[in-house]
Amino acid sequence: MTTPAPAPGTTAAPTTAHRARAIAVLVLFLASFMDLLDTTIVNVALPSIARDLDATPSQLEWIVSGYVLAFAVVLITTGRLGDLLGRKRVFLVGVAGFTVASAAAGLAPTAEVLVGARLVQGLFAATMVPQVLSIIQVLYAPKERAGVLGAYGAITGSAAVAGPLLGGILTTYDVLGLEWRSIFVINIPVGVLLMVLGSSAIPESRSDHAARLDLRGVLLSSLALFLVVFALIEGRPQGWPWWIWTMLAASVVLLGVFVLSQRVLERSGGDPLVPLQLFGDRGYSAGALTSFAFFGSIGAMFFGLILYLQIGLGFSPIRAALATLPFSIGAFLASGASVPLVTRLGKGLVFTGLAFFTVAVGWLGQSVAHHGDALQAKELIGPMFLGGVGLAFAAVPLLDVALATVPVRSAGAASGVLGTVQQVGAAVLLAVVGVVFFHTAEGVPSPQVYRDALLNALWVPGIALGMAALTSLLLPGVEAVRRHKDEAEAAELAEAEMTGVEVAGVEVAGVEAAGTPSTPV
């Protein structure tokens, strides 16, 4: 996850004890871990879900992309709801809804019910996650946050490693006799615990001048995104009838209307969902394009790979998870090494990471094509590890570099938009990969058919990553990154001195943070 840039203007809750603060942070960390786990844990269970519920290929796509799409369309709105109504209150609502949706997913009797439960899961995940970093910044003074945010990064990195592995273990070894259902049921006791502890340990806070909700923008953007993803996922099995093309055309029209409404609202002094003035900055626009293509490529690659390993080659869920584990390990190890390089290399580090990731996708395709049905997990160690390193090198600095020429006062909104762009990219590219993969896999199932499907599908993340590498060259330079970092730190410390309040016995600054999630490193 990316760390949002703070902006002034929060009234914090009354003093809480140090012990309560530690419990509050633990609750927040576990909530983020649970969300990230559910974005990765489901992949290795897809073949088992398909067999048990007789799920169609398009339903498998919805199980993954529905969560991400629902997350994306309400992300900015739920962040603002926390500022308006109270972050603790909105966070607990998110946890409660996520827990109930997880129970519904675990008990789903049909694939349709499971898809619906995943959509609801995504909505409530987007309700709780934006509050996490906002609450942390209320609880801790600026000088204390480095260690807390470092631990937060380690937690999110651990979730990326644990997700596929835990999913493989639970599904392969049929824990509690639930098979794949256990990947959702496990959220229930965790969610209940978080609600109990969070209600007593987390202090309430809200913004003194929160932005108003742009409900028209939410409706227009949500409908436009839903139409394009629905058309891409359902077009192939429906034979691409005229109404699918009508939906695609309507999504373009609605997107145009959305942009126009945002411009009008911005010019009238309102609070648009997406401040279009941000895109007048070349560096920020390059960051948005890079984020869309880069983060969208991750899920797109793994979707086809997991299906090939399990359905094409007969890997068990745990064996498939272990085969892809070097990716998470590479990302986890490289994340720490990337942090001190951000202000030294800037966009050079982003470009290097994207180049590594692009090479890894090509290497993966070559390994699959060369070894054929005899492919073993050991042949995937190299491309998986290199891809993970590339992911970390690109993901860790991308937010800081993309925001380098954005005014500090606009950094919170800008980081929120980037987080949404990442999720939209993940949903759209996954839908495109599904079109390519399942079109090739039509016919008599065989290892050869699924191998060809994967090789064709890998062109989607390969091309997207190449485009991301090119747009990354338009990002702001390293000097701008250093200057922006210094300005942000100075502004935050100044605000701490001016508006500090007593929280947990420590003078802390009131901050307003757009808690912006992204694909985990």
Side-chain angles (χ1 to χ4, degrees):
M1 284 196 178
T2 51
T3 302
T10 290
T11 300
T15 301
T16 58
H18 284 284
R19 182 178 178 183
R21 184 171 68 163
I23 294 174
V25 170
L26 177 62
V27 169
L28 298 171
F29 281 3
L30 284 176
S32 294
F33 187 88
M34 187 167 62
D35 160 58
L36 290 172
L37 205 64
D38 265 54
T39 63
T40 57
I41 198 173
V42 73
N43 285 328
V44 294
L46 287 176
S48 298
I49 293 172
R51 288 193 301 270
D52 188 33
L53 299 183
D54 196 25
T56 65
S58 61
Q59 287 170 334
L60 294 181
E61 290 182 73
W62 276 115
I63 288 168
V64 179
S65 65
Y67 181 95
V68 178
L69 180 64
F71 196 113
V73 297
V74 299
L75 178 60
I76 297 176
T77 301
T78 52
R80 291 182 180 176
L81 279 175
D83 293 340
L84 285 167
L85 304 178
R87 296 172 183 126
K88 172 184 176 179
R89 177 184 301 174
V90 175
F91 172 79
L92 292 176
V93 168
V95 173
F98 187 87
T99 304
V100 172
S102 296
L107 298 172
T110 65
E112 291 84 359
V113 174
L114 179 56
V115 169
R118 285 288 285 172
L119 287 167
V120 177
Q121 258 194 321
L123 288 172
F124 281 104
T127 302
M128 67 179 181
V129 167
Q131 321 310 324
V132 171
L133 290 174
S134 298
I135 295 172
I136 287 175
Q137 295 197 54
V138 170
L139 287 172
Y140 288 88
K143 63 182 179 181
E144 295 180 295
R145 290 179 198 150
V148 178
L149 294 177
Y152 180 76
I155 290 292
T156 57
S158 299
V161 176
L165 194 58
L166 183 59
I169 292 172
L170 293 174
T171 305
T172 300
Y173 297 109
D174 195 15
V175 176
L176 299 178
L178 296 174
E179 203 187 13
W180 62 266
R181 297 178 186 276
S182 59
I183 69 174
F184 300 114
V185 173
I186 195 174
N187 291 332
I188 300 174
V190 176
V192 171
L193 178 65
L194 294 182
M195 284 187 285
V196 172
L197 295 178
S199 62
S200 60
I202 296 176
E204 187 59 279
S205 65
R206 53 177 55 85
S207 174
D208 289 337
H209 46 73
R212 288 174 293 181
L213 296 179
D214 176 17
L215 295 179
R216 180 190 299 175
V218 173
L219 179 62
L220 288 171
S221 60
S222 300
L223 188 55
L225 289 173
F226 175 78
L227 288 176
V228 69
V229 172
F230 183 92
L232 289 172
I233 291 178
E234 297 293 338
R236 183 199 57 80
Q238 297 294 334
W240 299 104
W242 64 269
W243 55 269
I244 287 288
W245 295 106
T246 301
M247 291 179 75
L248 284 171
S251 70
V252 174
V253 173
L254 285 172
L255 184 60
V257 175
F258 169 73
V259 171
L260 181 61
S261 72
Q262 297 299 283
R263 180 174 289 114
V264 170
L265 187 57
E266 192 171 52
R267 288 177 177 175
S268 65
D271 297 312
L273 187 68
V274 177
L276 296 180
Q277 62 179 354
L278 293 171
F279 294 96
D281 185 307
R282 189 194 74 174
Y284 182 79
S285 296
L289 290 172
T290 302
S291 295
F292 180 93
F294 166 44
F295 286 100
S297 299
I298 304 167
M301 180 187 73
F302 277 103
F303 183 77
L305 177 60
I306 291 296
L307 290 177
Y308 170 63
L309 291 178
Q310 292 194 53
I311 300 177
L313 297 182
F315 279 34
S316 67
I318 186 61
R319 189 180 175 195
L322 290 173
T324 59
L325 186 60
F327 185 93
S328 296
I329 293 174
F332 185 72
L333 295 176
S335 295
S338 302
V339 174
L341 297 176
V342 173
T343 53
R344 297 182 183 179
L345 301 178
K347 67 179 179 182
L349 185 59
V350 177
F351 178 82
T352 301
L354 291 169
F356 281 6
F357 202 168
T358 306
V359 171
V361 171
W363 187 359
L364 172 62
Q366 189 276 333
S367 297
V368 170
H370 176 72
H371 293 284
D373 299 349
L375 182 73
Q376 299 293 320
K378 63 182 180 181
E379 275 90 37
L380 300 181
I381 293 175
M384 286 288 99
F385 186 82
L386 180 63
V389 172
L391 171 69
F393 280 178
V396 169
L398 184 53
L399 179 68
D400 286 336
V401 176
L403 297 182
T405 50
V406 173
V408 172
R409 65 181 181 277
S410 302
S415 61
V417 173
L418 282 182
T420 299
V421 167
Q422 293 168 10
Q423 302 297 323
V424 171
V428 172
L429 264 67
L430 178 64
V432 174
V433 158
V435 171
V436 176
F437 185 93
F438 291 117
H439 175 76
T440 308
E442 285 180 334
V444 180
S446 69
Q448 177 66 50
V449 168
Y450 278 97
R451 181 167 71 250
D452 291 343
L454 174 61
L455 291 175
N456 288 340
L458 285 177
W459 281 101
V460 176
I463 292 172
L465 286 167
M467 293 175 59
L470 290 176
T471 56
S472 73
L473 296 176
L474 300 176
L475 289 166
V478 67
E479 288 300 325
V481 175
R482 295 170 183 164
R483 184 168 57 252
H484 186 270
K485 184 175 184 293
D486 292 341
E487 291 173 354
E489 290 177 351
E492 186 174 359
L493 289 173
E495 184 65 23
E497 294 176 356
M498 292 174 58
T499 62
V501 291
E502 188 77 8
V503 176
V506 180
E507 285 291 322
V508 301
V511 295
E512 177 183 343
T516 308
S518 70
T519 303
V521 175

